[in-house]
Amino acid sequence: MAGHDYEITDVVICGCGPTGAMLSAYLGRLSVRHIVLEKEDGITTDPRGIALDEDGIRLLQGVGIYKHMYTDIGTCMQKFKFIGGTEKTLDTAPFLEMDYGTTQGGTGHVGFICHKQPTLEKHLRNAMTSSEFCQLRSNCTVFEIREDENYAYCRYRGIKGNTHTIKSRFFVGADGKTGFTRKNYLEPLGIHLEQAHKAFYDETWVALNWKVTLPTPTTHPDFPLWELGFTPQQVYDLFFPANFRFICNPDRPAVCGCFGLPKDRLCRFEFVVRSDENGDEMARPAKIKEVVFPYFSHAGSRYGLSQDVRFPEDCIHILRSRPFRFAARSCNEWFRDRVALCGDAAHVFPPFGGQGIASGFRDAVSLSWRLALLTRQQSSASPFHTPKTNHQEILLSWSRERKQQLTRSLAATIANGKVVTERNPLKIFLRDWYLYILSFIPSFQRGLSLGQRKEGMIRYEYADGMPFVPGFGGGVCAPQVYVSAWGRNAEVSFSDDILFSRGKKALFQVLVYIRDPRELSFARKVVTDIEQTSNGELSANEATFIIETTVSTPVPETNDNMLPVCRLATAEEFAESPLCRGRPEPRYYNPYYLGEIVGGGSVRYVIVRPDRFVYASCDNKRDLEGVVVGLVGYLRGE
């Protein structure tokens, strides 16, 4: 690698799955030059992950993909139904329901969507490659990584077998749990996956993907339900009901549900492989017919028939049938020097909470702005001004924050898994009676139905070097609300789309939350003055003002009406807007949640990081000036 026989860029990303593509998309929006190396020729055709939580939806929204969410990518998952017993049926009354069709998690989105991963990745790649700062290279295999004090170097083989070298400030492995970055480079340095939760889980499951076609009186004339007046679509709905089922069968736990758009008729079925069974054998057609197909057979008595009714097997087309080892593991370290790990390369999840892709997204977005900060600091460094903050301190704060949120996500996933996989008859009996009794207490019932959202927005516990001010409300994820331009009837928007609109240059953004509209002119002056204190790190022209009212009233006369001023929009306004097409209307939406989180005072000045976490929140100019001085020091590595 001597001489100049290499390319130079700021960041290299190894792997262009969902995590790598998300990291690339955000780096592009932050004007960071980077190269993405992907060993495959194109996007995977295998829908591996199928569930994405509201954080994941919000982060996709952040790169302009929301418009495709319900038209191309997926559908709201509505309810998770936990059903018990040993009978192989999907119609058993659930002993527990979690409603993820509501909008009460603080993001403005539903709790979960069931998506088609290839389609999701297609739109992510479109978002990343639309940036002039991104180069995506397919059919490229990384085979060597090394570092010196200031750079990382990687060597890879291209499609023609030629060897190339890239010199970059940072290298990110988003190449999965068996990828080169961790397995071949970092594991010899002592970085490895280890048990991530005290409730250890490690079992093999078979994962099935089906494409279902509709039987018709022409294709299946002997199917008995035609004589009872059922249509092909009604037959499909009977055997493939809406809502995901967690089948808590002590003999063989399983999970079942449809994913993608309703017209796609895609189905996922997963079941556990017992300790005395072979995963590869259980994934074969004969075993699938034995284990899974009974769930798609109904008793004839249900329809007044003497024989059972089974959905035609030739209408079920298996797209995938593979065993997988499901475990809860996380790396002991997520980076070493200038090489970091993201997504499945850093942690793996069991399948009970839909957190795999979403956690990779959180890793990527949280890392993206730190890489932008570090590349800016190092690019501007000179013999007269070298950043004092070591890049390892910034990456350490990233991994510490992410591990906190990972612990929370894992806890919710493990809790779901314990319910699904419980085999002890006494514990099952006590669980069912406990939940039955709680069902008569409305407050407990609503808490159960919220699932993992009941704890509210994630709030980090402070440790040295973390980029937020805990004494001023920092470290909490800022809720997203619906807004509309104040003073006129305008389209409803997500607040993130105003706060982080494309074209803004400042890394951190200022949100001014105003409870008394008469304070608007004063708040604008404060923000203008603060721009001087920030030495250009914050921009008054980019500040976003939100008035705490859902009533559209005239804007008070001021000397400057150029800055964006919004009011809160109601759930009813959102339901009538194009943003609500294809998704449920917002139930239990709280338009005042943002104000509740950022705190009191007639005016609240909130500094928000690109990953949607609050750096600090103040209600007066003096405190704000002190916070901004500290922020400038952090951003400049002083």
mmCIF file of all heavy atoms in Angstrom, residues 369-380 385 387-389 394 465 467 505-509 533-539 607-610 615 627-638:
data_model
loop_
_atom_site.group_PDB
_atom_site.id
_atom_site.type_symbol
_atom_site.label_atom_id
_atom_site.label_comp_id
_atom_site.label_asym_id
_atom_site.label_seq_id
_atom_site.Cartn_x
_atom_site.Cartn_y
_atom_site.Cartn_z
ATOM 1 N N TRP A 369 -23.873 11.122 12.081
ATOM 2 C CA TRP A 369 -23.542 12.510 12.378
ATOM 3 C C TRP A 369 -22.203 12.618 13.114
ATOM 4 O O TRP A 369 -21.495 13.625 12.984
ATOM 5 C CB TRP A 369 -24.659 13.207 13.137
ATOM 6 C CG TRP A 369 -24.903 12.785 14.562
ATOM 7 C CD1 TRP A 369 -25.844 11.931 15.012
ATOM 8 C CD2 TRP A 369 -24.215 13.268 15.723
ATOM 9 N NE1 TRP A 369 -25.780 11.816 16.386
ATOM 10 C CE2 TRP A 369 -24.798 12.631 16.841
ATOM 11 C CE3 TRP A 369 -23.171 14.161 15.936
ATOM 12 C CZ2 TRP A 369 -24.368 12.861 18.156
ATOM 13 C CZ3 TRP A 369 -22.736 14.396 17.238
ATOM 14 C CH2 TRP A 369 -23.334 13.747 18.325
ATOM 15 N N ARG A 370 -21.835 11.579 13.854
ATOM 16 C CA ARG A 370 -20.529 11.597 14.505
ATOM 17 C C ARG A 370 -19.407 11.483 13.474
ATOM 18 O O ARG A 370 -18.369 12.145 13.603
ATOM 19 C CB ARG A 370 -20.453 10.474 15.532
ATOM 20 C CG ARG A 370 -21.323 10.743 16.789
ATOM 21 C CD ARG A 370 -21.392 9.512 17.657
ATOM 22 N NE ARG A 370 -21.864 9.796 19.004
ATOM 23 C CZ ARG A 370 -23.124 9.687 19.401
ATOM 24 N NH1 ARG A 370 -24.064 9.339 18.523
ATOM 25 N NH2 ARG A 370 -23.465 9.941 20.651
ATOM 26 N N LEU A 371 -19.608 10.651 12.462
ATOM 27 C CA LEU A 371 -18.613 10.579 11.400
ATOM 28 C C LEU A 371 -18.535 11.896 10.639
ATOM 29 O O LEU A 371 -17.442 12.335 10.246
ATOM 30 C CB LEU A 371 -18.951 9.433 10.437
ATOM 31 C CG LEU A 371 -18.856 8.019 11.011
ATOM 32 C CD1 LEU A 371 -19.293 6.997 9.980
ATOM 33 C CD2 LEU A 371 -17.441 7.719 11.505
ATOM 34 N N ALA A 372 -19.691 12.541 10.437
ATOM 35 C CA ALA A 372 -19.688 13.860 9.789
ATOM 36 C C ALA A 372 -18.902 14.857 10.631
ATOM 37 O O ALA A 372 -18.094 15.639 10.104
ATOM 38 C CB ALA A 372 -21.125 14.345 9.581
ATOM 39 N N LEU A 373 -19.128 14.836 11.938
ATOM 40 C CA LEU A 373 -18.415 15.735 12.835
ATOM 41 C C LEU A 373 -16.911 15.467 12.796
ATOM 42 O O LEU A 373 -16.107 16.402 12.673
ATOM 43 C CB LEU A 373 -18.955 15.549 14.261
ATOM 44 C CG LEU A 373 -18.196 16.261 15.381
ATOM 45 C CD1 LEU A 373 -18.245 17.762 15.189
ATOM 46 C CD2 LEU A 373 -18.774 15.879 16.745
ATOM 47 N N LEU A 374 -16.522 14.196 12.880
ATOM 48 C CA LEU A 374 -15.103 13.859 12.912
ATOM 49 C C LEU A 374 -14.403 14.206 11.606
ATOM 50 O O LEU A 374 -13.269 14.698 11.616
ATOM 51 C CB LEU A 374 -14.942 12.366 13.220
ATOM 52 C CG LEU A 374 -15.263 11.961 14.663
ATOM 53 C CD1 LEU A 374 -15.348 10.450 14.793
ATOM 54 C CD2 LEU A 374 -14.230 12.524 15.629
ATOM 55 N N THR A 375 -15.054 13.951 10.496
ATOM 56 C CA THR A 375 -14.417 14.291 9.218
ATOM 57 C C THR A 375 -14.285 15.794 9.053
ATOM 58 O O THR A 375 -13.297 16.283 8.495
ATOM 59 C CB THR A 375 -15.192 13.694 8.036
ATOM 60 O OG1 THR A 375 -16.562 14.108 8.094
ATOM 61 C CG2 THR A 375 -15.129 12.180 8.066
ATOM 62 N N ARG A 376 -15.263 16.552 9.556
ATOM 63 C CA ARG A 376 -15.154 18.010 9.494
ATOM 64 C C ARG A 376 -14.013 18.494 10.377
ATOM 65 O O ARG A 376 -13.230 19.367 9.980
ATOM 66 C CB ARG A 376 -16.469 18.661 9.941
ATOM 67 C CG ARG A 376 -17.618 18.454 8.974
ATOM 68 C CD ARG A 376 -18.893 19.091 9.498
ATOM 69 N NE ARG A 376 -20.053 18.712 8.696
ATOM 70 C CZ ARG A 376 -21.280 19.158 8.907
ATOM 71 N NH1 ARG A 376 -21.520 20.015 9.888
ATOM 72 N NH2 ARG A 376 -22.276 18.771 8.128
ATOM 73 N N GLN A 377 -13.930 17.954 11.588
ATOM 74 C CA GLN A 377 -12.855 18.372 12.500
ATOM 75 C C GLN A 377 -11.493 18.070 11.904
ATOM 76 O O GLN A 377 -10.587 18.904 11.915
ATOM 77 C CB GLN A 377 -13.010 17.643 13.843
ATOM 78 C CG GLN A 377 -14.140 18.142 14.712
ATOM 79 C CD GLN A 377 -14.199 17.387 16.034
ATOM 80 O OE1 GLN A 377 -13.499 16.401 16.238
ATOM 81 N NE2 GLN A 377 -15.066 17.836 16.940
ATOM 82 N N GLN A 378 -11.333 16.861 11.379
ATOM 83 C CA GLN A 378 -10.023 16.446 10.893
ATOM 84 C C GLN A 378 -9.676 17.127 9.579
ATOM 85 O O GLN A 378 -8.503 17.377 9.298
ATOM 86 C CB GLN A 378 -9.991 14.927 10.773
ATOM 87 C CG GLN A 378 -10.112 14.245 12.132
ATOM 88 C CD GLN A 378 -10.203 12.741 12.059
ATOM 89 O OE1 GLN A 378 -10.018 12.156 10.995
ATOM 90 N NE2 GLN A 378 -10.488 12.106 13.187
ATOM 91 N N SER A 379 -10.670 17.452 8.774
ATOM 92 C CA SER A 379 -10.403 18.150 7.522
ATOM 93 C C SER A 379 -9.963 19.585 7.771
ATOM 94 O O SER A 379 -9.185 20.154 6.991
ATOM 95 C CB SER A 379 -11.656 18.139 6.636
ATOM 96 O OG SER A 379 -11.990 16.828 6.253
ATOM 97 N N SER A 380 -10.466 20.175 8.873
ATOM 98 C CA SER A 380 -10.124 21.572 9.171
ATOM 99 C C SER A 380 -8.911 21.687 10.090
ATOM 100 O O SER A 380 -8.477 22.784 10.405
ATOM 101 C CB SER A 380 -11.316 22.283 9.827
ATOM 102 O OG SER A 380 -11.641 21.663 11.062
ATOM 103 N N HIS A 385 -4.334 24.484 14.791
ATOM 104 C CA HIS A 385 -5.583 24.122 15.454
ATOM 105 C C HIS A 385 -5.878 22.645 15.197
ATOM 106 O O HIS A 385 -6.393 22.273 14.153
ATOM 107 C CB HIS A 385 -6.754 24.970 14.953
ATOM 108 C CG HIS A 385 -8.076 24.518 15.545
ATOM 109 N ND1 HIS A 385 -8.404 24.740 16.858
ATOM 110 C CD2 HIS A 385 -9.117 23.843 14.995
ATOM 111 C CE1 HIS A 385 -9.606 24.231 17.106
ATOM 112 N NE2 HIS A 385 -10.062 23.671 15.991
ATOM 113 N N PRO A 387 -7.859 19.373 16.685
ATOM 114 C CA PRO A 387 -8.886 19.014 17.671
ATOM 115 C C PRO A 387 -8.291 18.219 18.827
ATOM 116 O O PRO A 387 -7.515 17.282 18.632
ATOM 117 C CB PRO A 387 -9.863 18.161 16.858
ATOM 118 C CG PRO A 387 -9.656 18.592 15.440
ATOM 119 C CD PRO A 387 -8.203 18.937 15.332
ATOM 120 N N LYS A 388 -8.657 18.622 20.054
ATOM 121 C CA LYS A 388 -8.155 17.929 21.236
ATOM 122 C C LYS A 388 -8.943 16.655 21.510
ATOM 123 O O LYS A 388 -8.426 15.714 22.096
ATOM 124 C CB LYS A 388 -8.216 18.866 22.451
ATOM 125 C CG LYS A 388 -7.325 20.090 22.333
ATOM 126 C CD LYS A 388 -7.461 20.977 23.562
ATOM 127 C CE LYS A 388 -6.604 22.236 23.419
ATOM 128 N NZ LYS A 388 -6.760 23.143 24.591
ATOM 129 N N THR A 389 -10.211 16.643 21.092
ATOM 130 C CA THR A 389 -11.038 15.470 21.330
ATOM 131 C C THR A 389 -10.585 14.319 20.438
ATOM 132 O O THR A 389 -10.519 14.450 19.221
ATOM 133 C CB THR A 389 -12.521 15.777 21.048
ATOM 134 O OG1 THR A 389 -12.929 16.867 21.865
ATOM 135 C CG2 THR A 389 -13.386 14.572 21.370
ATOM 136 N N ILE A 394 -15.349 10.033 20.885
ATOM 137 C CA ILE A 394 -16.647 10.241 20.239
ATOM 138 C C ILE A 394 -17.281 8.911 19.853
ATOM 139 O O ILE A 394 -18.485 8.698 20.052
ATOM 140 C CB ILE A 394 -16.479 11.166 19.019
ATOM 141 C CG1 ILE A 394 -16.137 12.583 19.508
ATOM 142 C CG2 ILE A 394 -17.735 11.173 18.152
ATOM 143 C CD1 ILE A 394 -15.904 13.588 18.416
ATOM 144 N N GLY A 465 -18.487 12.241 28.319
ATOM 145 C CA GLY A 465 -18.279 12.322 26.881
ATOM 146 C C GLY A 465 -19.526 12.224 26.046
ATOM 147 O O GLY A 465 -19.476 12.442 24.837
ATOM 148 N N PRO A 467 -22.737 13.328 24.186
ATOM 149 C CA PRO A 467 -23.059 14.652 23.643
ATOM 150 C C PRO A 467 -24.472 15.116 23.967
ATOM 151 O O PRO A 467 -25.325 15.227 23.082
ATOM 152 C CB PRO A 467 -22.857 14.451 22.135
ATOM 153 C CG PRO A 467 -23.183 13.017 21.917
ATOM 154 C CD PRO A 467 -22.728 12.290 23.142
ATOM 155 N N LYS A 505 -27.581 23.511 6.737
ATOM 156 C CA LYS A 505 -26.148 23.250 6.819
ATOM 157 C C LYS A 505 -25.672 22.907 8.229
ATOM 158 O O LYS A 505 -24.718 22.143 8.388
ATOM 159 C CB LYS A 505 -25.369 24.475 6.319
ATOM 160 C CG LYS A 505 -25.699 24.877 4.880
ATOM 161 C CD LYS A 505 -25.341 23.790 3.895
ATOM 162 C CE LYS A 505 -25.594 24.239 2.457
ATOM 163 N NZ LYS A 505 -25.325 23.169 1.470
ATOM 164 N N ALA A 506 -26.305 23.465 9.265
ATOM 165 C CA ALA A 506 -25.845 23.231 10.629
ATOM 166 C C ALA A 506 -26.053 21.769 11.011
ATOM 167 O O ALA A 506 -27.072 21.164 10.671
ATOM 168 C CB ALA A 506 -26.576 24.141 11.608
ATOM 169 N N LEU A 507 -25.085 21.197 11.720
ATOM 170 C CA LEU A 507 -25.186 19.797 12.120
ATOM 171 C C LEU A 507 -26.300 19.608 13.143
ATOM 172 O O LEU A 507 -27.117 18.690 13.028
ATOM 173 C CB LEU A 507 -23.842 19.324 12.686
ATOM 174 C CG LEU A 507 -23.677 17.820 12.900
ATOM 175 C CD1 LEU A 507 -23.872 17.058 11.601
ATOM 176 C CD2 LEU A 507 -22.309 17.522 13.508
ATOM 177 N N PHE A 508 -26.346 20.471 14.159
ATOM 178 C CA PHE A 508 -27.410 20.449 15.159
ATOM 179 C C PHE A 508 -28.421 21.537 14.803
ATOM 180 O O PHE A 508 -28.051 22.581 14.259
ATOM 181 C CB PHE A 508 -26.864 20.697 16.561
ATOM 182 C CG PHE A 508 -26.113 19.525 17.163
ATOM 183 C CD1 PHE A 508 -25.384 18.645 16.378
ATOM 184 C CD2 PHE A 508 -26.131 19.321 18.532
ATOM 185 C CE1 PHE A 508 -24.691 17.588 16.920
ATOM 186 C CE2 PHE A 508 -25.444 18.255 19.106
ATOM 187 C CZ PHE A 508 -24.719 17.379 18.294
ATOM 188 N N GLN A 509 -29.679 21.299 15.126
ATOM 189 C CA GLN A 509 -30.726 22.254 14.781
ATOM 190 C C GLN A 509 -31.398 22.824 16.027
ATOM 191 O O GLN A 509 -31.447 22.166 17.078
ATOM 192 C CB GLN A 509 -31.774 21.589 13.893
ATOM 193 C CG GLN A 509 -31.287 21.285 12.490
ATOM 194 C CD GLN A 509 -30.942 22.543 11.707
ATOM 195 O OE1 GLN A 509 -31.668 23.540 11.770
ATOM 196 N NE2 GLN A 509 -29.846 22.503 10.958
ATOM 197 N N THR A 533 -23.052 33.689 19.371
ATOM 198 C CA THR A 533 -22.374 32.934 20.431
ATOM 199 C C THR A 533 -21.832 31.609 19.902
ATOM 200 O O THR A 533 -20.779 31.134 20.320
ATOM 201 C CB THR A 533 -23.342 32.658 21.600
ATOM 202 O OG1 THR A 533 -23.879 33.897 22.056
ATOM 203 C CG2 THR A 533 -22.647 31.942 22.742
ATOM 204 N N SER A 534 -22.563 31.020 18.943
ATOM 205 C CA SER A 534 -22.186 29.703 18.441
ATOM 206 C C SER A 534 -21.079 29.754 17.405
ATOM 207 O O SER A 534 -20.632 28.702 16.938
ATOM 208 C CB SER A 534 -23.409 29.010 17.819
ATOM 209 O OG SER A 534 -23.709 29.553 16.537
ATOM 210 N N ASN A 535 -20.638 30.939 17.053
ATOM 211 C CA ASN A 535 -19.589 31.087 16.033
ATOM 212 C C ASN A 535 -19.943 30.363 14.746
ATOM 213 O O ASN A 535 -19.095 29.735 14.103
ATOM 214 C CB ASN A 535 -18.243 30.583 16.569
ATOM 215 C CG ASN A 535 -17.715 31.431 17.704
ATOM 216 O OD1 ASN A 535 -17.790 32.655 17.659
ATOM 217 N ND2 ASN A 535 -17.211 30.780 18.745
ATOM 218 N N GLY A 536 -21.235 30.408 14.394
ATOM 219 C CA GLY A 536 -21.685 29.824 13.149
ATOM 220 C C GLY A 536 -22.058 28.362 13.201
ATOM 221 O O GLY A 536 -22.509 27.804 12.190
ATOM 222 N N GLU A 537 -21.902 27.712 14.374
ATOM 223 C CA GLU A 537 -22.260 26.292 14.473
ATOM 224 C C GLU A 537 -23.778 26.093 14.499
ATOM 225 O O GLU A 537 -24.277 25.020 14.148
ATOM 226 C CB GLU A 537 -21.633 25.662 15.722
ATOM 227 C CG GLU A 537 -20.117 25.629 15.708
ATOM 228 C CD GLU A 537 -19.549 24.651 14.681
ATOM 229 O OE1 GLU A 537 -20.326 23.916 14.049
ATOM 230 O OE2 GLU A 537 -18.316 24.637 14.509
ATOM 231 N N LEU A 538 -24.526 27.102 14.917
ATOM 232 C CA LEU A 538 -25.989 27.096 14.859
ATOM 233 C C LEU A 538 -26.423 28.244 13.964
ATOM 234 O O LEU A 538 -25.812 29.311 13.976
ATOM 235 C CB LEU A 538 -26.603 27.253 16.252
ATOM 236 C CG LEU A 538 -26.295 26.155 17.271
ATOM 237 C CD1 LEU A 538 -26.858 26.528 18.634
ATOM 238 C CD2 LEU A 538 -26.851 24.815 16.811
ATOM 239 N N SER A 539 -27.496 28.016 13.223
ATOM 240 C CA SER A 539 -27.949 29.041 12.279
ATOM 241 C C SER A 539 -29.332 29.539 12.666
ATOM 242 O O SER A 539 -30.278 28.754 12.764
ATOM 243 C CB SER A 539 -27.991 28.464 10.857
ATOM 244 O OG SER A 539 -28.611 29.368 9.971
ATOM 245 N N ILE A 607 -32.071 22.311 21.454
ATOM 246 C CA ILE A 607 -31.047 21.965 20.473
ATOM 247 C C ILE A 607 -31.141 20.468 20.224
ATOM 248 O O ILE A 607 -31.038 19.665 21.159
ATOM 249 C CB ILE A 607 -29.643 22.351 20.961
ATOM 250 C CG1 ILE A 607 -29.583 23.858 21.236
ATOM 251 C CG2 ILE A 607 -28.580 21.966 19.937
ATOM 252 C CD1 ILE A 607 -28.283 24.327 21.861
ATOM 253 N N VAL A 608 -31.353 20.093 18.963
ATOM 254 C CA VAL A 608 -31.636 18.706 18.608
ATOM 255 C C VAL A 608 -30.530 18.156 17.709
ATOM 256 O O VAL A 608 -30.126 18.800 16.736
ATOM 257 C CB VAL A 608 -32.998 18.579 17.897
ATOM 258 C CG1 VAL A 608 -33.358 17.101 17.699
ATOM 259 C CG2 VAL A 608 -34.096 19.276 18.692
ATOM 260 N N ARG A 609 -30.065 16.973 18.061
ATOM 261 C CA ARG A 609 -29.049 16.292 17.267
ATOM 262 C C ARG A 609 -29.675 15.671 16.017
ATOM 263 O O ARG A 609 -30.891 15.434 15.986
ATOM 264 C CB ARG A 609 -28.377 15.192 18.100
ATOM 265 C CG ARG A 609 -27.750 15.699 19.348
ATOM 266 C CD ARG A 609 -27.096 14.661 20.248
ATOM 267 N NE ARG A 609 -27.396 13.263 20.026
ATOM 268 C CZ ARG A 609 -27.056 12.293 20.871
ATOM 269 N NH1 ARG A 609 -26.410 12.599 21.999
ATOM 270 N NH2 ARG A 609 -27.344 11.035 20.610
ATOM 271 N N PRO A 610 -28.875 15.341 15.006
ATOM 272 C CA PRO A 610 -29.438 14.744 13.787
ATOM 273 C C PRO A 610 -30.116 13.397 14.011
ATOM 274 O O PRO A 610 -30.944 12.985 13.200
ATOM 275 C CB PRO A 610 -28.213 14.586 12.869
ATOM 276 C CG PRO A 610 -27.256 15.628 13.341
ATOM 277 C CD PRO A 610 -27.449 15.686 14.825
ATOM 278 N N TYR A 615 -29.998 17.628 22.644
ATOM 279 C CA TYR A 615 -28.720 17.974 23.252
ATOM 280 C C TYR A 615 -28.963 18.742 24.549
ATOM 281 O O TYR A 615 -28.364 18.447 25.580
ATOM 282 C CB TYR A 615 -27.884 18.809 22.287
ATOM 283 C CG TYR A 615 -26.584 19.308 22.891
ATOM 284 C CD1 TYR A 615 -25.481 18.471 22.957
ATOM 285 C CD2 TYR A 615 -26.475 20.600 23.403
ATOM 286 C CE1 TYR A 615 -24.288 18.915 23.527
ATOM 287 C CE2 TYR A 615 -25.286 21.044 23.968
ATOM 288 C CZ TYR A 615 -24.199 20.205 24.031
ATOM 289 O OH TYR A 615 -23.022 20.640 24.602
ATOM 290 N N VAL A 627 -25.080 26.729 27.407
ATOM 291 C CA VAL A 627 -25.181 25.448 26.702
ATOM 292 C C VAL A 627 -24.494 25.528 25.346
ATOM 293 O O VAL A 627 -23.773 24.610 24.938
ATOM 294 C CB VAL A 627 -26.661 25.046 26.555
ATOM 295 C CG1 VAL A 627 -26.830 23.986 25.481
ATOM 296 C CG2 VAL A 627 -27.220 24.558 27.878
ATOM 297 N N VAL A 628 -24.703 26.634 24.651
ATOM 298 C CA VAL A 628 -24.136 26.781 23.302
ATOM 299 C C VAL A 628 -22.610 26.859 23.353
ATOM 300 O O VAL A 628 -21.923 26.301 22.484
ATOM 301 C CB VAL A 628 -24.737 28.016 22.603
ATOM 302 C CG1 VAL A 628 -23.972 28.336 21.325
ATOM 303 C CG2 VAL A 628 -26.205 27.770 22.291
ATOM 304 N N VAL A 629 -22.060 27.506 24.359
ATOM 305 C CA VAL A 629 -20.599 27.552 24.497
ATOM 306 C C VAL A 629 -20.040 26.140 24.622
ATOM 307 O O VAL A 629 -19.040 25.782 23.992
ATOM 308 C CB VAL A 629 -20.199 28.415 25.717
ATOM 309 C CG1 VAL A 629 -18.712 28.235 26.034
ATOM 310 C CG2 VAL A 629 -20.503 29.886 25.461
ATOM 311 N N GLY A 630 -20.701 25.311 25.442
ATOM 312 C CA GLY A 630 -20.265 23.920 25.574
ATOM 313 C C GLY A 630 -20.428 23.143 24.282
ATOM 314 O O GLY A 630 -19.580 22.312 23.926
ATOM 315 N N LEU A 631 -21.514 23.396 23.549
ATOM 316 C CA LEU A 631 -21.750 22.716 22.283
ATOM 317 C C LEU A 631 -20.674 23.067 21.268
ATOM 318 O O LEU A 631 -20.169 22.177 20.552
ATOM 319 C CB LEU A 631 -23.131 23.094 21.740
ATOM 320 C CG LEU A 631 -23.478 22.561 20.342
ATOM 321 C CD1 LEU A 631 -23.465 21.041 20.328
ATOM 322 C CD2 LEU A 631 -24.823 23.100 19.882
ATOM 323 N N VAL A 632 -20.311 24.338 21.195
ATOM 324 C CA VAL A 632 -19.269 24.760 20.249
ATOM 325 C C VAL A 632 -17.963 24.038 20.550
ATOM 326 O O VAL A 632 -17.258 23.557 19.647
ATOM 327 C CB VAL A 632 -19.077 26.285 20.292
ATOM 328 C CG1 VAL A 632 -17.850 26.700 19.484
ATOM 329 C CG2 VAL A 632 -20.314 26.992 19.771
ATOM 330 N N GLY A 633 -17.643 23.919 21.829
ATOM 331 C CA GLY A 633 -16.431 23.202 22.211
ATOM 332 C C GLY A 633 -16.471 21.754 21.772
ATOM 333 O O GLY A 633 -15.470 21.204 21.290
ATOM 334 N N TYR A 634 -17.631 21.127 21.909
ATOM 335 C CA TYR A 634 -17.763 19.730 21.499
ATOM 336 C C TYR A 634 -17.630 19.597 19.990
ATOM 337 O O TYR A 634 -16.896 18.728 19.495
ATOM 338 C CB TYR A 634 -19.109 19.173 21.962
ATOM 339 C CG TYR A 634 -19.367 17.766 21.467
ATOM 340 C CD1 TYR A 634 -18.785 16.683 22.105
ATOM 341 C CD2 TYR A 634 -20.166 17.537 20.351
ATOM 342 C CE1 TYR A 634 -18.986 15.385 21.641
ATOM 343 C CE2 TYR A 634 -20.382 16.245 19.883
ATOM 344 C CZ TYR A 634 -19.790 15.171 20.531
ATOM 345 O OH TYR A 634 -19.988 13.904 20.061
ATOM 346 N N LEU A 635 -18.347 20.444 19.252
ATOM 347 C CA LEU A 635 -18.338 20.340 17.798
ATOM 348 C C LEU A 635 -16.965 20.628 17.198
ATOM 349 O O LEU A 635 -16.626 20.100 16.134
ATOM 350 C CB LEU A 635 -19.378 21.283 17.195
ATOM 351 C CG LEU A 635 -20.849 20.963 17.523
ATOM 352 C CD1 LEU A 635 -21.768 22.010 16.906
ATOM 353 C CD2 LEU A 635 -21.231 19.579 17.032
ATOM 354 N N ARG A 636 -16.165 21.427 17.883
ATOM 355 C CA ARG A 636 -14.845 21.773 17.367
ATOM 356 C C ARG A 636 -13.726 20.959 18.008
ATOM 357 O O ARG A 636 -12.544 21.199 17.734
ATOM 358 C CB ARG A 636 -14.600 23.272 17.539
ATOM 359 C CG ARG A 636 -15.619 24.100 16.768
ATOM 360 C CD ARG A 636 -15.255 25.543 16.672
ATOM 361 N NE ARG A 636 -16.177 26.244 15.787
ATOM 362 C CZ ARG A 636 -16.059 27.515 15.434
ATOM 363 N NH1 ARG A 636 -15.035 28.234 15.885
ATOM 364 N NH2 ARG A 636 -16.935 28.074 14.622
ATOM 365 N N GLY A 637 -14.117 20.018 18.871
ATOM 366 C CA GLY A 637 -13.120 19.145 19.484
ATOM 367 C C GLY A 637 -12.207 19.852 20.449
ATOM 368 O O GLY A 637 -11.044 19.444 20.627
ATOM 369 N N GLU A 638 -12.730 20.887 21.120
ATOM 370 C CA GLU A 638 -11.877 21.686 22.030
ATOM 371 C C GLU A 638 -11.959 21.165 23.463
ATOM 372 O O GLU A 638 -12.911 20.519 23.845
ATOM 373 C CB GLU A 638 -12.315 23.162 21.974
ATOM 374 C CG GLU A 638 -12.162 23.763 20.592
ATOM 375 C CD GLU A 638 -12.779 25.148 20.465
ATOM 376 O OE1 GLU A 638 -13.482 25.565 21.411
ATOM 377 O OE2 GLU A 638 -12.558 25.795 19.433
#
